[in-house]
């Protein structure tokens, strides 16, 4: 029994001795922010510390098979390296005995931004860590200039290149407050992945006529600004009295046009009225009938030179004392009048039905005859040609 226990203890000790040691690869949780053109160190350490001289250290970005930097077989392997990183990467080999696998990137470009993986092959296992590298570029000082005048005032333009990522753009007035107008801003990427920014705005005159263009890289929290003061002569002046004058001229023209239209309509109406004779009463009627005495009240009878018919309800009324009322049913809407000097007669017809209404005979006509029309309110009559 004791011998069996001793054997078990001996076997357990052997397993403890042969158990492979485990390692962790530590990177950095926070992103590394570096300016374009500078160098950056991407940290990577093995814990617990162990020598890396006989191990494989591989840094890659997107493709494991195309490394940013590869150390294998106790040497660097630039022949397998991504061509965009050749002669721009370096490992700290003097720190290999302490487990330091950090990578140095030189002369950073905008395209270097991204996620990097530090991969270490321990032969019996492997571990890796990721590093987030962010790149920021500060562009050249903006160039602000006056492009010309516009209907809204003066157009300003501001341009700068060398930014990454796209900067925020703001126009300020002389009091360092945001300009009221909305700018038009475009971004164009160059061959190096950097942005050229062009922004334009229409401004109006204020108390200072001073404007500034502010471009800021929010990643690096750095900005560049350009200022311009515009002479007063470039802003169009508004002459209030000139505006009042032209408004007055416009009103006069409108009044004249309205007067012309009114008088033309009035003359047209007069001409139309000359074709009609409307009697609303018999006193003070201004009509030239040469054979009629208008000084007294006019009675529409043949003895006075009037041969007329009319309607009372649906009954035909003739202005003779011996003619009774005749019931005609519907009142004609169109009356035809036939005058014959030879037969000395005046006849009235229903123009729609071509039926005879009444005829006056034995009339001694004066030299001139005129039509007489009498209507009730809210009605109208029209004389039609044959």
């Amino acid at each position: 029994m004791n011998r069996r226990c001793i054997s078990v203890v001996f076997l357990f000790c052997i397993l403890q001795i042969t158990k492979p040691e485990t390692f962790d690869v530590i990177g950095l949780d926070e992103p590394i922010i570096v300016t374009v053109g500078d160098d950056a160190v991407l940290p990577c350490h093995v814990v617990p510390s162990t020598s890396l001289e006989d191990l494989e250290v591989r840094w890659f970005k997107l493709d494991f098979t195309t490394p940013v930097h590869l150390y294998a077989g106790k040497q660097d392997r630039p022949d397998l390296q991504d061509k965009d990183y050749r002669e721009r990467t370096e490992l700290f080999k003097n720190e290999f005995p302490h487990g330091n696998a950090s990578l140095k990137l030189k002369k950073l470009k905008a395209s270097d931004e991204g996620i990097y993986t530090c991969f270490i092959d321990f032969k019996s296992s492997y571990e890796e860590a990721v590093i987030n590298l962010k790149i920021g570029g500060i562009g050249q000082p903006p160039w602000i200039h006056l492009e010309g005048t516009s209907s809204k005032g003066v157009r300003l333009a501001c341009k700068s290149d060398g930014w990454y990522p796209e900067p925020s753009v703001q126009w300020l007035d002389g009091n360092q407050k945001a300009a009221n107008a909305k700018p038009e801003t475009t971004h164009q990427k160059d061959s190096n992945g950097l942005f050229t920014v062009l922004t334009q705005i229409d401004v109006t005159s204020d108390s200072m006529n001073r404007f500034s263009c502010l471009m800021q890289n929010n990643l690096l929290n750095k900005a560049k600004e350009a200022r311009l003061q515009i002479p007063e002569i470039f802003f169009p002046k508004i002459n209030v009295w000139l505006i009042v004058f032209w408004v007055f001229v416009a009103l006069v023209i409108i009044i004249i046009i309205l007067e012309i239209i009114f008088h033309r309509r009035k003359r047209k109406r007069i001409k139309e009225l000359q074709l009609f004779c409307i009697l609303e009463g018999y006193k003070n009627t201004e009509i030239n009938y040469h054979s009629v005495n208008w000084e007294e009240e006019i009675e529409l009878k043949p003895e006075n030179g009037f041969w007329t018919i009319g309607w009372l309800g649906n009954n035909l009324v003739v202005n003779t004392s011996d003619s009774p009322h005749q019931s005609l049913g519907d009142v004609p809407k169109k009356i035809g009048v036939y005058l014959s000097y030879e037969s000395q007669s005046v006849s009235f017809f229903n123009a729609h039905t071509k039926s005879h209404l009444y005829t006056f005979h034995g009339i001694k006509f004066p030299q001139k005859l005129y039509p007489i029309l009498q209507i009730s309110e809210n009605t109208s009559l029209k004389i039609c040609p044959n």
Side-chain angles (χ1 to χ4, degrees):
M1 183 70 180
N2 292 334
R3 180 179 300 175
R4 184 176 300 174
C5 290
I6 293 172
S7 299
V8 171
V9 171
F10 179 74
L11 178 61
F12 178 78
C13 292
I14 294 175
L15 291 175
Q16 289 294 321
I17 294 172
T18 59
K19 180 181 179 180
E21 185 176 3
T22 60
F23 299 94
D24 289 326
V25 176
I26 307 301
L28 187 66
D29 293 334
E30 298 296 325
I32 297 176
I33 301 174
V34 187
T35 303
V36 172
D38 290 349
D39 297 342
V41 175
L42 309 184
C44 182
H45 294 83
V46 176
V47 178
S49 177
T50 187
S51 177
L52 304 176
E53 293 180 354
D54 297 328
L55 304 180
E56 178 183 307
V57 178
R58 180 186 296 260
W59 281 89
F60 65 93
K61 190 176 181 183
L62 298 175
D63 188 357
F64 179 88
T65 62
T66 309
V68 172
H69 191 100
L70 176 62
Y71 174 87
K74 296 185 179 182
Q75 64 179 351
D76 292 323
R77 296 297 304 273
D79 55 318
L80 301 177
Q81 185 181 23
D82 186 337
K83 63 180 181 179
D84 289 338
Y85 292 90
R86 288 177 185 173
E87 299 182 357
R88 292 201 302 124
T89 59
E90 180 184 351
L91 295 174
F92 300 91
K93 295 177 184 178
N94 58 335
E95 294 289 325
F96 273 15
H98 307 293
N100 185 356
S102 300
L103 176 69
K104 183 176 183 180
L105 283 177
K106 304 175 183 178
K107 300 179 181 179
L108 288 174
K109 301 183 294 185
S111 58
D112 292 337
E113 185 175 77
I115 303 296
Y116 290 79
T117 301
C118 174
F119 176 90
I120 299 179
D121 188 351
F122 294 99
K123 297 182 180 179
S124 60
S125 65
Y126 68 88
E127 295 293 336
E128 62 185 27
V130 295
I131 305 296
N132 186 5
L133 176 64
K134 288 187 173 295
I135 306 295
I138 304 298
Q140 299 296 321
W143 174 51
I144 183 173
H145 63 283
L146 188 152
E147 280 197 338
T149 59
S150 67
S151 58
K152 298 179 181 179
V154 173
R155 167 154 288 206
L156 301 180
C158 183
K159 186 176 183 180
S160 176
D161 55 15
W163 292 89
Y164 189 86
E166 299 100 319
S168 62
V169 178
Q170 191 175 20
W171 284 92
L172 305 175
D173 59 18
N175 297 317
Q176 291 297 294
K177 295 182 179 179
N180 294 328
K182 185 178 180 180
E184 300 176 3
T185 304
T186 58
H187 303 84
Q188 186 174 1
K189 185 180 288 188
D190 62 18
S191 58
N192 295 321
L194 304 179
F195 289 96
T196 297
V197 184
L198 174 63
T199 178
Q200 298 167 305
I201 191 172
D202 293 328
V203 297
T204 56
S205 178
D206 61 12
S207 59
M208 304 179 71
N209 291 343
R210 185 182 302 156
F211 301 92
S212 59
C213 167
L214 181 67
M215 296 187 183
Q216 178 168 325
N217 186 311
N218 296 321
L219 178 66
L220 302 177
N221 197 24
K222 293 183 179 181
K224 294 285 182 74
E225 184 179 11
R227 297 182 181 181
L228 178 67
Q229 185 162 5
I230 305 173
E232 191 72 20
I233 191 174
F234 286 98
F235 289 100
K237 290 295 182 179
I238 300 177
N239 191 324
V240 177
W241 290 109
L242 184 60
I243 294 177
V244 172
F245 170 74
W246 285 113
V247 170
F248 175 76
V249 171
L251 290 176
V252 170
I253 293 174
I254 292 174
I255 292 173
I256 292 174
I257 293 175
L258 293 177
E259 284 288 329
I260 292 174
I261 294 174
F262 173 77
H263 285 293
R264 284 184 177 178
R265 290 183 176 178
K266 186 176 180 180
R267 287 196 297 269
K268 182 179 179 182
R269 183 61 178 166
I270 290 174
K271 290 181 179 180
E272 291 178 352
L273 291 177
Q274 289 175 351
L275 302 176
F276 297 92
C277 180
I278 300 175
L279 298 178
E280 296 183 356
Y282 304 118
K283 292 183 179 180
N284 300 323
T285 305
E286 297 180 358
I287 305 175
N288 289 328
Y289 287 132
H290 299 293
S291 60
V292 178
N293 183 7
W294 297 99
E295 295 180 358
E296 299 177 356
E297 183 176 342
I298 302 171
E299 193 172 353
L300 303 181
K301 298 193 304 182
E303 293 82 3
N304 296 331
F306 293 91
W307 299 271
T308 65
I309 64 172
W311 273 264
L312 183 61
N314 291 335
N315 294 325
L316 173 65
V317 178
V318 181
N319 69 339
T320 61
S321 58
D322 58 348
S323 177
H325 293 181
Q326 303 178 30
S327 179
L328 297 178
D330 293 336
V331 177
K333 295 183 179 179
K334 189 173 183 181
I335 303 296
V337 181
Y338 178 74
L339 172 65
S340 175
Y341 269 87
E342 291 77 8
S343 62
Q344 295 183 334
S345 64
V346 177
S347 299
F348 295 89
F349 300 87
N350 186 330
H352 285 295
T353 62
K354 309 298 182 182
S355 59
H356 175 258
L357 296 176
Y358 189 83
T359 300
F360 292 92
H361 295 285
I363 301 173
K364 293 181 179 180
F365 294 115
Q367 184 177 2
K368 291 183 179 180
L369 292 177
Y370 298 89
I372 292 179
L373 305 173
Q374 182 178 350
I375 63 173
S376 60
E377 295 183 358
N378 300 323
T379 58
S380 62
L381 288 176
K382 182 178 181 182
I383 297 178
C384 302
N386 292 335

